[in-house]
Amino acid sequence: MSENTPQPPADPTLASQPGSSPGEPPAPESIEKRFALEQEQVQRVIRIVTPFISVLIAMLIGSIIILSSGKDPAAAFLAMFDGAFGGPRQVGETLLRATPLIFTGLAVAYGFRAGLFNIGAEGQLFMGGLAAAYVGYQLAGMPWVIAAPGALVAAALAGAAWAFLPALMKAKIGAHEVITTMMFSYIGRYFVSWVVNGPFRAPGQIPQTPEIPPESRLPRLSELLTFIEPNRAHFGIILGIIAAVVVWWILKYTVMGFEARAVGFNPSAAENGGISFASTTVKSLCTSGALAGLSGAVEVMGLHYRLFDQFSSGFGFTGIAVALLAKNNPIGVIAAAILFGALSAGSGTMQLQADVSTKVISVIQGIIIFLVGAELIVTWAVGRVRARKGALNAG
Amino acid sequence: MLAEIFTPELFASAVRLATPIALAAVGASICERSGIVNIAMEGLMLVSAFFGIVAALFAPSWGVPESLAIWVGVLAAVISSVVFAALHAWASINLRADQVISGTAINILALGTTGFLMETIFGHPGTTESVKRMQPLLTLPTGGDSFLGTVWHWIDVVLLSYTPIVYLGIFLAIFLTWALYRTRWGLRLRALGEHPRAADTVGVKVLRGRWVAVLLSGAMAGLAGANLTLEQVGSFTENMTNGRGFIALAANIFGRWVPGGAYLASLLFGFADALQLRLQLFSAQIQIPGQFFRMLPYLLTVLVLAGVVGRAVSPAALGKPYKEKG
């Protein structure tokens, strides 16, 4: 969203206030121009460093929270770092947890680029996981070149299908996608709960689907590259990186991506330019849903090999934080997902060693969204710079 | 079976279940009439539900008499919600941030904060200890088995059996509808959401007016959270609001941004919820899995939006940041 809503250019009246300082040197215009240029540069610099500063501030506030609960923040973050990057097994765990976040991050980011807020990625993820578990199970006995891609395609289609009705409602009658995708998210979760408890339940005490056969699984990286120490990271991370590059390419070089960005930037201008708002909205939200569906698929095919009620711990919602931190840049999504993957992988060690609740992670996430997504630092810092320069010029 | 389903208790439970949604929906209508989208209702309800329980549980140890502890809880619920709403107001009014993003941040922050404090204070995730729930305002004698007795039973259960915040919700919906259309404050509030520039030109303080509206919606969400934990459930469970804040936003749209309309729309959702709970009792006879019943309120929300939204016109300046002149 950030790239779709550019800051207004620096307001020269605020800056130099020519009337208030009669003794100024002549040619106030050139000063104004120079000032506006400087403002733009300042804004650009602030924009680039914003994500980094935001993460730092969020960590700082997190530290204060940990401190006020009577625990040692330094020990907590050290334990977290150790749990996320302390060795091959830990790095594997970080990549494992980053994998679904790359897909949900891409899903939310693609929506944002088209001016759509897909807050219901969680539901599309569940439907994608269901499709992967079902098709992966049914394709038992097929060669893996058919089974695994088959399950992935099914998951993408299921995710897209789950986004289709909200997309249609947005395009045709203007129903806000934040409410509709959220409602579909709940409906999807109850649907999956029914499926794993009823028609597609494996025999046994626990409500879950039967295991998918090896040919529709994603192999572990340490099985492919035997020189790596065994860890749980799987081929899904490679798929995630490929998906990020593909999404980047779609946005930059295809008509579909151009139309999505145009509608996201200014729907009525795009409409005047001959781009249909309705069809672009439907295409974009369904693409977003397909990416979220793939997120469910990689969890089922690479980690659990089956579907159960609680198989996602809010990846759809963390995807919002990932997309915002990445400023909706598909390549940035990879880095942001790895950061949140590391937080998640390290939080267990943190709880074990420093006795700090893993929930502190979602507090940090919320603060990051607030600071980056709402562009608080940018507006605040630019306001400060402007006020100082204004005072300088006036005085 | 129908007589077993459509009892006075069903309608009473509809009103009770509608109340948290309705309070939030009425709050949302005030907030959105001022031009600010408040998607944070869900998070505000969650925060207030949590702090309400915490205050009610610990008030006796602070020297508050047992009988007042629950009211301390209500107060804490409202204050905590207003504090979080102030974050949204500051970001979306003063810093002119994207209101949907700011609201989402508060929702996630609320989920994290309540979960973290839950484990820090109570030492475990999941559900807190219980408090003694708020009692109904009136306890009236029953009327016996005669026809008049049955009529009295219906009146008693459907109209007179509720806890204080339920009545407060009905009063606020009526009062705020009156205030919105019959007072100077209401006229100005509506102007803020339709044409803030014009309001500013004639001297209405746009930013201050919007702050009041956002904080008011925070207080309403606080009452909603208090109703949920202190009157209905008696304890707090993580993420217990379960989408009610979002349903409230849909109810507000269905009610056309009028507090009274928002309340009536919420009754529809409350009825759907009460009906699905009741039908679950008969699931052995009906042969439909429970999950499908639980989908009902969410399905209804989608249907309502599909049927109504095209014709509902939102306040013209909704979601648009405003910069005061001078």
Side-chain angles (χ1 to χ4, degrees):
Chain A
M1 190 156 282
S2 58
E3 292 185 30
N4 300 338
T5 51
Q7 291 275 316
D11 187 352
T13 54
L14 257 181
S16 53
Q17 295 170 343
S20 65
S21 46
E24 280 239 325
E29 255 184 27
S30 65
I31 291 178
E32 270 177 30
K33 263 186 199 156
R34 208 182 66 206
F35 179 68
L37 265 176
E38 274 176 36
Q39 280 287 235
E40 258 171 45
Q41 284 171 347
V42 168
Q43 280 191 13
R44 198 174 305 144
V45 171
I46 292 173
R47 251 157 219 285
I48 292 166
V49 296
T50 293
F52 301 96
I53 300 174
S54 302
V55 171
L56 281 180
I57 295 180
M59 294 263 191
L60 198 70
I61 299 177
S63 306
I64 296 170
I65 294 170
I66 293 172
L67 199 66
S68 61
S69 72
K71 306 283 159 53
D72 180 1
F77 281 115
L78 276 179
M80 184 186 273
F81 188 82
D82 190 42
F85 300 108
R89 196 179 54 79
Q90 283 85 344
V91 172
E93 202 67 11
T94 293
L95 292 180
L96 172 79
R97 300 193 185 211
T99 305
L101 297 180
I102 294 180
F103 286 100
T104 53
L106 287 173
V108 177
Y110 193 87
F112 273 145
R113 292 296 281 267
L116 297 161
F117 188 1
N118 184 7
I119 201 174
E122 187 81 358
Q124 297 140 17
L125 179 155
F126 266 83
M127 298 313 279
L130 175 62
Y134 182 75
V135 172
Y137 180 72
Q138 296 297 332
L139 291 181
M142 292 280 182
W144 69 266
V145 282
I146 295 175
L152 285 170
V153 168
L157 288 176
W162 211 240
F164 178 70
L165 271 180
L168 203 63
M169 284 171 73
K170 167 84 176 185
K172 292 291 174 199
I173 53 179
H176 204 299
E177 75 278 7
V178 166
I179 299 176
T180 50
T181 57
M182 192 75 195
M183 292 300 114
F184 268 83
S185 175
Y186 281 102
I187 297 168
R189 294 202 54 174
Y190 283 125
F191 183 73
V192 166
S193 163
W194 168 67
V195 170
V196 301
N197 276 290
F200 194 35
R201 180 176 172 159
Q205 288 296 308
I206 309 157
Q208 57 187 10
T209 62
E211 268 200 354
I212 56 172
E215 50 270 26
S216 33
R217 292 180 190 176
L218 297 174
R220 288 191 177 169
L221 291 183
S222 49
E223 287 165 6
L224 294 176
L225 309 164
T226 41
F227 57 89
I228 307 177
E229 278 183 53
N231 64 61
R232 297 207 293 167
H234 55 77
F235 193 68
I237 187 88
I238 310 288
L239 290 178
I241 293 168
I242 295 172
V245 173
V246 169
V247 169
W248 171 80
W249 178 79
I250 289 177
L251 280 169
K252 200 164 167 79
Y253 293 113
T254 67
V255 175
M256 181 180 142
F258 173 77
E259 287 180 346
R261 282 185 295 133
V263 167
F265 189 72
N266 188 337
S268 48
E271 192 91 56
N272 284 338
I275 298 170
S276 157
F277 172 77
S279 96
T280 307
T281 295
V282 171
K283 267 190 269 179
S284 304
L285 199 53
C286 288
T287 307
S288 174
L291 288 161
L294 283 174
S295 176
V298 292
E299 281 296 281
V300 166
M301 296 164 66
L303 177 62
H304 303 300
Y305 306 137
R306 55 172 26 131
L307 185 69
F308 48 93
D309 229 344
Q310 305 285 332
F311 90 110
S312 160
S313 52
F315 298 130
F317 298 103
T318 310
I320 299 169
V322 169
L324 290 172
L325 186 59
K327 297 254 157 200
N328 303 325
N329 177 325
I331 308 302
V333 162
I334 301 173
I338 289 175
L339 172 75
F340 282 110
L343 286 178
S344 156
S347 65
T349 316
M350 179 184 71
Q351 181 152 35
L352 223 59
Q353 290 182 6
D355 193 27
V356 173
S357 160
T358 54
K359 301 277 163 57
V360 83
I361 300 304
S362 30
V363 178
I364 291 177
Q365 260 174 40
I367 298 170
I368 289 178
I369 297 186
F370 215 74
L371 295 177
V372 192
E375 302 215 300
L376 293 195
I377 295 180
V378 175
T379 42
W380 184 81
V382 169
R384 270 299 124 109
V385 170
R386 224 181 249 179
R388 211 182 58 217
K389 289 258 171 120
L392 229 70
N393 281 7
Chain B
M1 201 170 82
L2 277 183
E4 287 171 67
I5 293 173
F6 291 96
T7 59
E9 282 77 14
L10 173 73
F11 294 97
S13 118
V15 173
R16 271 195 285 273
L17 291 170
T19 296
I21 297 170
L23 283 163
V26 170
S29 71
I30 295 294
C31 189
E32 298 211 343
R33 270 302 175 99
S34 83
I36 303 289
V37 178
N38 194 346
I39 214 156
M41 284 319 236
E42 174 87 1
L44 297 180
M45 278 167 82
L46 195 65
V47 163
S48 55
F50 177 75
F51 282 99
I53 277 289
V54 169
L57 275 174
F58 288 100
S61 65
W62 302 331
V64 178
E66 289 278 349
S67 55
L68 287 179
I70 199 111
W71 289 103
V72 174
V74 175
L75 191 68
V78 171
I79 292 174
S80 59
S81 173
V82 168
V83 168
F84 271 73
L87 270 180
H88 182 56
W90 178 63
S92 53
I93 300 172
N94 297 78
L95 298 182
R96 300 193 294 282
D98 186 304
Q99 295 164 14
V100 174
I101 305 276
S102 160
T104 304
I106 288 178
N107 284 335
I108 292 184
L109 207 56
L111 202 58
T113 309
T114 51
F116 176 76
L117 289 177
M118 169 108 200
E119 286 184 20
T120 310
I121 297 176
F122 297 94
H124 58 81
T127 303
T128 64
E129 279 104 278
S130 302
V131 292
K132 198 164 165 291
R133 278 178 296 173
M134 191 105 71
Q135 293 304 304
L137 206 55
L138 308 164
T139 15
L140 300 165
T142 53
D145 286 336
S146 64
F147 174 71
L148 271 181
T150 315
V151 173
W152 169 246
H153 181 63
W154 272 84
I155 294 174
D156 179 28
V157 172
V158 179
L159 295 177
L160 304 172
S161 68
Y162 303 115
T163 43
I165 296 178
V166 178
Y167 291 114
L168 184 62
I170 297 169
F171 167 76
L172 284 171
I174 297 169
F175 174 75
L176 287 171
T177 308
W178 172 79
L180 194 61
Y181 288 100
R182 291 283 180 272
T183 67
R184 187 195 301 220
W185 171 78
L187 179 66
R188 288 181 171 177
L189 186 81
R190 284 182 286 139
L192 298 184
E194 295 298 338
H195 203 316
R197 174 68 66 200
D200 195 3
T201 308
V202 297
V204 178
K205 294 265 181 288
V206 177
L207 302 195
R208 196 174 66 190
R210 286 184 165 179
W211 261 91
V212 169
V214 175
L215 295 187
L216 195 62
S217 74
M220 297 295 290
L223 286 175
N227 169 266
L228 204 58
T229 44
L230 298 172
E231 291 192 335
Q232 290 192 26
V233 184
S235 61
F236 176 87
T237 306
E238 280 176 67
N239 200 14
M240 72 185 294
T241 45
N242 225 352
R244 283 185 182 84
F246 292 100
I247 295 181
L249 294 178
N252 163 46
I253 296 170
F254 192 28
R256 309 270 164 111
W257 290 270
V258 179
Y263 192 96
L264 293 176
S266 306
L267 280 180
L268 185 67
F269 292 106
F271 186 76
D273 210 8
L275 192 63
Q276 66 93 0
L277 282 173
R278 194 119 192 117
L279 288 175
Q280 281 190 41
L281 298 177
F282 299 91
S283 58
Q285 283 150 273
I286 304 176
Q287 298 288 337
I288 298 174
Q291 285 91 355
F292 286 96
F293 291 121
R294 260 166 264 147
M295 284 179 198
L296 211 62
Y298 307 108
L299 273 173
L300 184 68
T301 307
V302 172
L303 288 178
V304 159
L305 284 176
V308 182
V309 139
R311 275 162 283 144
V313 181
S314 66
L318 185 61
K320 295 186 184 121
Y322 181 74
K323 192 171 167 190
E324 261 179 6
K325 284 189 284 186

